[in-house]
Amino acid sequence: MPVIRTEQLTKIFRVVRKEPGLRGSLKALVRPRFENIAAVNQVSFEIDAGEIVGYIGVNGAGKSTTIKMLTGILVPTSGSVQVLGRDPHRQRVANAREIGAVFGQRTQLWWDLPFIESLALVGRIYEVPPARYRQLLKDFEDTLGLSELLHIPIRNMSLGQKMRAELAATLIHEPRVVYLDEPTIGLDLLAKERIRDFIREQNRGRGTTVLLTTHDLGDIEQLCPRVIIIDAGRLIYDGPIATIKERFGRHREITFETSEATTAIELPRDCTRLAAEPHRLTLRFDRTRTTASQIAAAVMEQIEVLDFSLAEPDLASIVRQIYQGGLREVEGNPRS
Amino acid sequence: MRRYLSLYGVFFVQRLKILMEYRVNFLIGATSTSFLQIGGVLAMWVVMRQIPSLNGWSFDEVLLVFGLVTISESITHMFADNLWTLGWQYIRSGEFDRFLVRPIDPLFHLLADRFCHDGIGNLLVGTALVVKAMSALHIPFTVATALYLVIAVLTGGAIFIALNLLTASSAFWLVDSIPVTFLVYNTYEFAKYPLTIYGRGIRIALTWLIPYGFASFYPASYLLGRNVGALAWMGPLVAVLFMSLAYRAWKFGLAHYTSTGS
Ligand SMILES: Nc1ncnc2c1ncn2[C@@H]1O[C@H](COP(=O)(O)OP(=O)(O)OP(=O)(O)O)[C@@H](O)[C@H]1O
Ligand SMILES: [Mg+2]
């Protein structure tokens, strides 16, 4: 049985549309014009126990709104959502006991309390048995390097420290499902690594199901075998990250540095020109239709080449293509 | 219920730890409100030196009314001050989300989150005024009066909390509910004096509409042996009524909570 299941999940926000300026504000006050925003639009997916799924999309795509419906904070406008067999909004308290949520831009801890006190309070709220609490605290001290943080209030912590504290507080009641909304936002590489290691370990060691949103594709590459992509509230891809890479990875980019201007060159077959600089030529080609050496040969015949390089597309550029509407190429990808 | 009581204890202790960290703030906060109340009492004293009785009420009798409402106010002030800032501190910033992902009642969480020490000053001043008035008026302090006083003060506190909860619930739509709360809350200034000095309209309003009268005038009248009929005993009923009305408004607002976009 899936741990999370959404069916045609939809959230529509009704917002007042305001024209600019004071007049606009007054007009909105006297006769408000409402506008409906479909933040999440008929999204259906299922997530099984023990999965780590990356939930990605551009700013405003509807990621956080989805998570708020999964945690029971928001009521769906239509469609349904079930987490561990429950309706997260109607059975909010029962659901809350079994989930944890981190909203990367906020803290759920008490700003002025030393971290250990905050954590103890959270432990009491979730009724974590004292022996279990001590055990987990010890675990987290090792894996998250908490010992140096215990007596610092949240307000004095750096971003990376805060996120470690936040994760510990979110996992102290051993939730079965964890939602992480941008857990690595603003962190340096080392801090990101640490957070990723911890998430991986919780997932492997305890079988915690994780749904993670991020704009950092490193998170996805290292943690999530499966991604769900949404755009303007609609699900546009759900499947293995490998599939996307393979489909889009068919393309390669080859760049030549030349001594002469490249403007007049006749392009080899089966490729397109990307950059348009006078002494540099970047070509994109499908490796199933032509090869790098064929292209290189065709170019070198026409022009003196000083240097050239071949690039495999990284996930970032693939995702950029998808966001820009390239997904038609990977349609028809339902998970079985 | 027991779980919530012990949980409140934990919240309270943690809050004290924060307050102790800012000791100067604590002292200023805890005493500032009492200066305000003492100022009010002094002003009244000045006025009443000219007119020895206010519509048949002596200075000490008015003090009893004043003292009772001050204690009732201190209860909201200490235990429900977060209702004031629900809108701009919790809803606007999206911090309210945090209450909704936890397995406890969000209203409890909101109130328990911040015990407000500013109310302590009012509690002390109010108590001092009641004690002073009662001894000056030779009201015997028996078990029965003590019990009546406790019930009156709890009733008053509940009415204050109910009205603040009712108005604070508008924050789910208005975001900033402070003006609305302020408007209703401030009418308690009227309840610092015997309601008989006002016209019929205000008297009815302070009894049935914004029932602060039950936090001061009616119990004081009873203690002074002035006949106010059944109104001397109806406070708790009114408090329960307003509390359930306010809780409904809160629930209704909660269902309309839409969080924020970030
Ligand atoms: N409480 C709200 N009221 C009105 N509109 C909202 C609210 N929350 C979100 N929206 C709108 O819904 C859309 C989706 O927002 P959401 O926060 O879910 O996006 P997101 O994918 O999390 O974006 P980001 O990557 O920037 O965090 C946006 O257009 C946003 O303006
Ligand atoms: Mg978001």
Side-chain angles (χ1 to χ4, degrees):
Chain A
M1 203 188 77
V3 164
I4 302 174
R5 164 189 280 160
T6 74
E7 242 166 78
Q8 304 287 309
L9 185 64
T10 300
K11 181 73 196 182
I12 293 172
F13 288 112
R14 218 159 105 96
V15 294
V16 180
R17 197 159 104 208
K18 225 189 281 178
E19 284 158 43
L22 183 64
R23 249 188 79 196
S25 299
L26 281 177
K27 242 165 100 182
L29 199 67
V30 179
R31 200 194 308 145
R33 286 248 313 270
F34 290 103
E35 192 180 11
N36 289 333
I37 297 179
V40 175
N41 202 344
Q42 302 183 23
V43 167
S44 308
F45 58 80
E46 287 182 2
I47 294 175
D48 288 326
E51 278 195 272
I52 304 188
V53 176
Y55 197 56
I56 58 178
V58 293
N59 292 127
K63 304 180 295 292
S64 298
T65 305
T66 308
I67 289 192
K68 284 175 192 170
M69 288 191 280
L70 294 176
T71 48
I73 293 171
L74 289 179
V75 204
T77 308
S78 64
S80 72
V81 47
Q82 284 214 323
V83 176
L84 297 163
R86 296 192 193 90
D87 177 328
H89 185 74
R90 289 221 191 95
Q91 295 160 280
R92 194 190 64 77
V93 173
N95 180 59
R97 283 184 189 285
E98 307 217 55
I99 64 155
V102 170
F103 294 96
Q105 340 233 19
R106 298 191 207 124
T107 176
Q108 51 170 321
L109 297 167
W110 287 262
W111 208 244
D112 292 315
L113 275 179
F115 171 54
I116 183 75
E117 306 277 3
S118 261
L119 195 63
L121 194 45
V122 172
R124 283 298 299 265
I125 290 176
Y126 285 95
E127 298 178 291
V128 181
R132 191 73 195 139
Y133 177 87
R134 279 192 298 275
Q135 171 72 44
L136 284 166
L137 182 58
K138 227 165 99 204
D139 286 0
F140 292 166
E141 269 178 24
D142 296 340
T143 47
L144 284 171
L146 287 189
S147 13
E148 62 191 75
L149 302 181
L150 290 179
H151 301 284
I152 308 178
I154 309 297
R155 76 181 129 85
N156 293 346
M157 286 188 185
S158 74
L159 248 118
Q161 294 174 329
K162 209 180 325 183
M163 187 46 68
R164 274 145 64 196
E166 206 70 39
L167 279 171
T170 301
L171 289 153
I172 196 77
H173 64 287
E174 301 180 90
R176 289 167 64 192
V177 182
V178 175
Y179 306 101
L180 304 172
D181 195 353
E182 305 193 35
T184 55
I185 189 168
L187 305 191
D188 67 33
L189 273 178
L190 227 67
K192 276 180 184 167
E193 281 302 324
R194 195 163 202 173
I195 302 287
R196 288 170 189 160
D197 287 344
F198 180 72
I199 295 171
R200 196 179 297 118
E201 197 192 274
Q202 292 297 310
N203 171 259
R204 297 226 175 112
R206 292 176 212 280
T208 312
T209 308
V210 179
L211 182 68
L212 169 123
T213 84
T214 183
H215 291 290
D216 183 326
L217 294 163
D219 292 346
I220 299 288
E221 243 165 333
Q222 293 190 22
L223 291 173
C224 311
R226 172 183 168 200
V227 290
I228 297 176
I229 306 179
I230 61 167
D231 187 48
R234 289 188 176 275
L235 189 147
I236 57 171
Y237 178 79
D238 177 359
I241 189 89
T243 306
I244 304 186
K245 271 189 159 171
E246 197 186 281
R247 301 271 178 104
F248 282 87
R250 287 205 311 234
H251 293 280
R252 293 280 184 277
E253 280 168 23
I254 185 165
T255 303
F256 301 93
E257 308 283 342
T258 59
S259 54
E260 307 150 52
T262 59
T263 35
I265 200 166
E266 190 189 318
L267 293 184
R269 276 187 24 230
D270 287 323
C271 66
T272 50
R273 181 170 188 160
L274 295 178
E277 288 162 74
H279 293 280
R280 174 178 297 162
L281 178 67
T282 302
L283 300 175
R284 183 161 176 258
F285 65 95
D286 184 334
R287 75 177 153 86
T288 60
R289 306 174 89 190
T290 180
T291 64
S293 55
Q294 277 176 343
I295 291 182
V299 171
M300 285 172 187
E301 240 164 51
Q302 302 180 52
I303 206 165
E304 190 190 346
V305 171
L306 301 174
D307 194 7
F308 78 94
S309 61
L310 186 65
E312 276 193 38
D314 58 352
L315 190 59
S317 72
I318 291 176
V319 167
R320 201 175 321 120
Q321 284 177 52
I322 295 175
Y323 288 167
Q324 285 164 358
L327 208 91
R328 267 152 292 277
E329 291 179 53
V330 267
E331 243 148 44
N333 46 37
R335 260 169 25 104
S336 49
Chain B
M1 188 67 193
R2 266 201 40 210
R3 175 177 166 227
Y4 276 111
L5 275 180
S6 85
L7 204 51
Y8 194 91
V10 181
F11 271 94
F12 185 74
V13 169
Q14 299 296 34
R15 175 74 187 151
L16 282 191
K17 286 181 191 159
I18 295 178
L19 290 176
M20 286 308 122
E21 224 185 294
Y22 299 96
R23 239 158 282 168
V24 180
N25 276 4
F26 177 78
L27 284 177
I28 293 175
T31 50
S32 63
T33 51
S34 52
F35 286 123
L36 277 176
Q37 298 302 347
I38 291 168
V41 173
L42 280 180
M44 192 173 73
W45 179 69
V46 170
V47 172
M48 292 203 62
R49 254 192 345 180
Q50 314 294 325
I51 36 161
S53 96
L54 191 63
N55 212 351
W57 288 62
S58 72
F59 176 66
D60 286 320
E61 287 177 314
V62 178
L63 271 196
L64 184 63
V65 178
F66 199 113
L68 281 175
V69 83
T70 305
I71 299 178
S72 296
E73 197 278 341
S74 77
I75 293 176
T76 15
H77 213 132
M78 289 187 291
F79 298 106
D81 205 57
N82 251 0
L83 289 175
W84 284 91
T85 54
L86 170 66
W88 62 262
Q89 197 186 335
Y90 293 94
I91 293 181
R92 201 190 40 136
S93 66
E95 251 213 66
F96 195 74
D97 289 357
R98 154 168 89 95
F99 297 155
L100 294 175
V101 296
R102 293 205 168 133
I104 55 175
D105 186 78
L107 180 57
F108 169 83
H109 202 327
L110 174 73
L111 299 188
D113 223 39
R114 195 169 64 91
F115 167 83
C116 181
H117 56 287
D118 293 1
I120 296 173
N122 280 354
L123 178 64
L124 296 178
V125 171
T127 310
L129 292 180
V130 169
V131 169
K132 149 88 172 64
M134 284 183 58
S135 66
L137 295 164
H138 306 294
I139 299 174
F141 196 78
T142 62
V143 176
T145 40
L147 211 62
Y148 185 85
L149 271 173
V150 169
I151 292 174
V153 162
L154 290 181
T155 295
I159 288 172
F160 267 95
I161 293 177
L163 290 173
N164 277 9
L165 179 60
L166 193 65
T167 50
S169 298
S170 68
F172 288 110
W173 293 274
L174 302 178
V175 179
D176 187 2
S177 59
I178 290 180
V180 184
T181 302
F182 194 73
L183 200 72
V184 173
Y185 166 86
N186 253 16
T187 58
Y188 106 85
E189 292 290 331
F190 289 104
K192 286 178 171 173
Y193 303 94
L195 295 192
T196 47
I197 67 172
Y198 304 114
R200 222 173 102 83
I202 293 183
R203 226 163 46 220
I204 290 175
L206 285 174
T207 307
W208 302 116
L209 209 57
I210 307 175
Y212 286 130
F214 291 104
S216 63
F217 172 69
Y218 294 115
S221 298
Y222 174 78
L223 289 170
L224 295 169
R226 292 167 179 266
N227 186 13
V228 285
L231 292 175
W233 296 100
M234 271 178 70
L237 196 70
V238 172
V240 168
L241 215 70
F242 271 77
M243 205 54 125
S244 71
L245 189 71
Y247 189 67
R248 250 173 232 195
W250 162 265
K251 280 289 202 191
F252 189 64
L254 198 58
H256 280 79
Y257 177 64
T258 53
S259 185
T260 51
S262 61

